[in-house]
Amino acid sequence: MYDRRVSAADAEGPDAWCYDAVEPRSWEYPGGGQLTVLRSLELVWLRFDSNPAAFATFVEGEQAFEDFLVGAPAGPLSDAVAADVRAYLRGARTPGRSTWLALDLGAGLGAAAWTLDGVNPDLCELPGPASAGVYGGAAATSRRGIRALVRPGPVAVRVYAFAGHARVEAALALDVVAHQPRRLRVALVDGGPAPAIALTEAAAHRAIDA
C-alpha cells in the first residue's frame, strides 16, 4: 500500500510535470489560518494567534505538491479549499519536466536555508505581523528535501548552514537550462581554522523515468 502511494505521488511530481508557471498564492482557512503554495514545491499552513499570551504565527502543516495532490492535506483545510488548491496546481502545470534545483546537506551540518537570486523560495506573506515571529515547522529534509523551482538562465545560489554553533555560507553561479533539474551539494571543508562549507554540483539528477 505504501509503495503504491509513493508511486502515485511521484507521478504528480516535478519530474513528471512542469510546474514552472506556479507562483506563490494563498488561501484563507477558519481561525486566522492561511495556506500558501510556494515555489519551493511545497504548501505551508500558517495561523496567527492574536492572544497576547502568544501573539505569534505558528506553522500548522507543510507538504510537498505531489503528496498533497494524492493524499490528505497535512494541515486544516475544508474540502472546498483543498479542491481549489488542487485545481490551481493542476491547472498551472503543463506536460514535461519542471525546471528545479535540489540541495543535499553533507554530514555535520545542521539547519540550512538558501536563496536563489537573493530570494528565499520558502518565504511568503504571513497571516500576522512580521514582528510577531514564526514558530514551528520541520526541515524540508523530513519531507521531499530542499528543492525549488527556478527560472532558466543565470542563477546565483547562496546557502546558509550551521556547523556546530557557527553560521557558514557558500555561493555558486549556475546557468540553468529549462526542464533540466540540477542537484547541488553543500559539505563541510576539512582542515581550516574555522568551519567552512563548499557548494558544488552533485551527480546528475535522476528523473523518475530515467
Side-chain angles (χ1 to χ4, degrees):
M1 177 68 74
Y2 176 76
D3 288 344
R4 287 200 298 272
R5 287 200 301 268
V6 170
S7 178
D10 287 344
E12 303 282 351
D15 278 328
W17 292 92
C18 179
Y19 289 94
D20 290 7
V22 169
E23 296 292 346
R25 180 175 168 183
S26 298
W27 291 257
E28 294 182 357
Y29 59 90
Q34 174 183 288
L35 168 66
T36 301
V37 166
L38 298 169
R39 284 184 61 83
S40 59
L41 290 161
E42 291 200 321
L43 298 89
V44 60
W45 283 256
L46 298 168
R47 184 189 300 274
F48 175 63
D49 186 342
S50 61
N51 188 312
F55 201 76
T57 298
F58 295 92
V59 178
E60 295 198 301
E62 295 162 295
Q63 193 170 27
F65 284 7
E66 56 266 54
D67 297 315
F68 172 78
L69 287 173
V70 303
L77 210 59
S78 69
D79 290 344
V81 173
D84 195 25
V85 178
R86 291 190 177 102
Y88 170 67
L89 291 175
R90 290 182 172 132
R93 72 187 187 184
T94 57
R97 186 175 298 165
S98 298
T99 309
W100 60 291
L101 302 179
L103 180 67
D104 296 331
L105 299 182
L109 294 176
W114 61 349
T115 62
L116 307 176
D117 287 336
V119 178
N120 183 341
D122 289 316
L123 291 183
C124 64
E125 294 292 329
L126 301 177
S131 60
V134 180
Y135 299 91
T141 50
S142 67
R143 296 182 298 280
R144 292 270 175 168
I146 302 171
R147 56 188 193 162
L149 296 167
V150 65
R151 305 189 195 285
V155 177
V157 182
R158 185 169 294 274
V159 173
Y160 307 86
F162 280 91
H165 295 293
R167 184 178 184 271
V168 289
E169 61 181 83
L172 182 66
L174 296 177
D175 190 9
V176 175
V177 178
H179 314 301
Q180 294 187 15
R182 306 275 284 276
R183 186 170 293 277
L184 310 179
R185 179 173 174 79
V186 58
L188 280 171
V189 176
D190 295 327
I197 54 174
L199 179 60
T200 57
E201 188 155 7
H205 177 88
R206 291 185 61 83
I208 60 173
D209 58 351

